[in-house]
Amino acid sequence: MTDIFDFSTFPTLTGKGVVLREFQPEDAADLFVWRSDPEVQRYNSEPMWDVRQASQLIEELRAEYAARKGIHWAVTLSGDGRAVGLFGFVSWQRFHHRAEVGYDLRRDYWGRGIASEALGAILRFGFTTMQLNRVEAQTIADNHGSVRLLQRVGFQREGLRRAYSLEDDGTYHDGAIYGLLRRDYDSAGHEV
Ligand SMILES: CC(C)(COP(=O)(O)OP(=O)(O)OC[C@H]1O[C@@H](n2cnc3c(N)ncnc32)[C@H](O)[C@@H]1OP(=O)(O)O)[C@@H](O)C(=O)NCCC(=O)NCCS
């Protein structure tokens, strides 16, 4: 089967101070650090309670790549191989040249620009190698860290889903939909 790129070699990406590489089974303990952190998982899935869940997730991410359905990278800092974040594309619709981004980062690495660099790196890859025309993101509207990240790299808010999810505080929170089009990305002067 011919595909957009050669899936036989996992694409390692770089940004300022970051290297994004394939998750390996040995990353389970590191992944568990932030996936078990209730603060990181506050607007996401239930925090993990067993490192075996992290191993299982890594297996799933690797299987998804092998099936050519999605790509997820382990974010590491240059010169330090440890995984500190998970960034990737899901819901990849090749016909429509569209995919959705998902991301999370270990809490003690927030506020350093690592997520902006990592998202910038995968967007470059998405708009060039994956030939995407549109990248989407869904986030809880009051997830300020996530909203700031999306705005910083050029996403526009396209819609609001009122009372979209029931959160830990027992109330319903709005969900926001963001989009970034290839033409906006290009006209913002990103080097591709
Ligand atoms: C969303 C998330 C990845 C954003 O991480 P982050 O650390 O805030 O994002 P960045 O790495 O881009 O860092 C930006 C912050 O670092 C600061 N910063 C410091 N050095 C910087 C640099 N060199 N470049 C850019 N920003 C820098 C910025 O001023 C900014 O601070 P601010 O948030 O007070 O405005 C993180 O909050 C997270 O993991 N949240 C939990 C998971 C989650 O909600 N995922 C989304 C589900 S939809």
Side-chain angles (χ1 to χ4, degrees):
M1 192 201 339
T2 323
D3 212 324
I4 285 168
F5 70 97
D6 177 12
F7 278 81
S8 65
T9 315
F10 188 90
T12 297
L13 310 179
T14 54
K16 211 189 302 163
V18 296
V19 177
L20 282 71
R21 60 159 173 81
E22 188 174 25
F23 268 101
Q24 301 297 334
E26 304 74 59
D27 293 316
D30 288 321
L31 175 60
F32 183 69
V33 170
W34 77 89
R35 280 293 170 124
S36 63
D37 180 341
E39 187 60 27
V40 177
Q41 293 307 304
R42 184 159 157 213
Y43 298 105
N44 207 343
S45 48
E46 193 185 2
M48 291 178 175
W49 61 88
D50 187 320
V51 71
R52 280 175 296 189
Q53 294 172 289
S55 299
Q56 171 74 31
L57 176 59
I58 290 172
E59 247 175 64
E60 287 165 13
L61 299 177
R62 289 170 64 88
E64 218 175 291
Y65 180 77
R68 305 176 176 210
K69 288 188 180 156
I71 312 181
H72 290 88
W73 286 268
V75 178
T76 68
L77 301 190
S78 308
D80 178 350
R82 262 180 325 150
V84 298
L86 164 53
F87 278 62
F89 287 108
V90 293
S91 306
W92 184 7
Q93 299 284 333
R94 284 171 175 72
F95 181 81
H96 298 291
H97 300 117
R98 181 180 88 211
E100 185 182 326
V101 278
Y103 43 83
D104 54 23
L105 189 70
R106 206 175 130 146
R107 184 150 46 111
D108 43 351
Y109 289 82
W110 290 2
R112 299 197 209 170
I114 297 167
S116 301
E117 277 301 318
L119 188 52
I122 75 168
L123 288 174
R124 264 193 307 279
F125 183 81
F127 284 124
T128 54
T129 310
M130 289 168 75
Q131 297 170 23
L132 297 177
N133 179 57
R134 170 183 170 81
V135 177
E136 301 181 331
Q138 300 187 47
T139 186
I140 300 304
D142 51 12
N143 183 351
H144 303 299
S146 176
V147 166
R148 275 199 304 271
L149 171 64
L150 292 170
Q151 289 171 338
R152 199 175 297 122
V153 299
F155 279 80
Q156 289 182 25
R157 181 176 282 199
E158 298 178 331
L160 199 68
R161 298 201 270 208
R162 293 172 304 149
Y164 182 67
S165 72
L166 181 58
E167 296 298 329
D168 291 349
D169 61 5
T171 69
Y172 296 102
H173 290 232
D174 295 340
I177 299 170
Y178 283 81
L180 177 60
L181 301 188
R182 168 78 197 229
R183 60 171 184 256
D184 298 333
Y185 181 81
D186 287 347
S187 65
H190 293 283
E191 352 143 343
V192 287

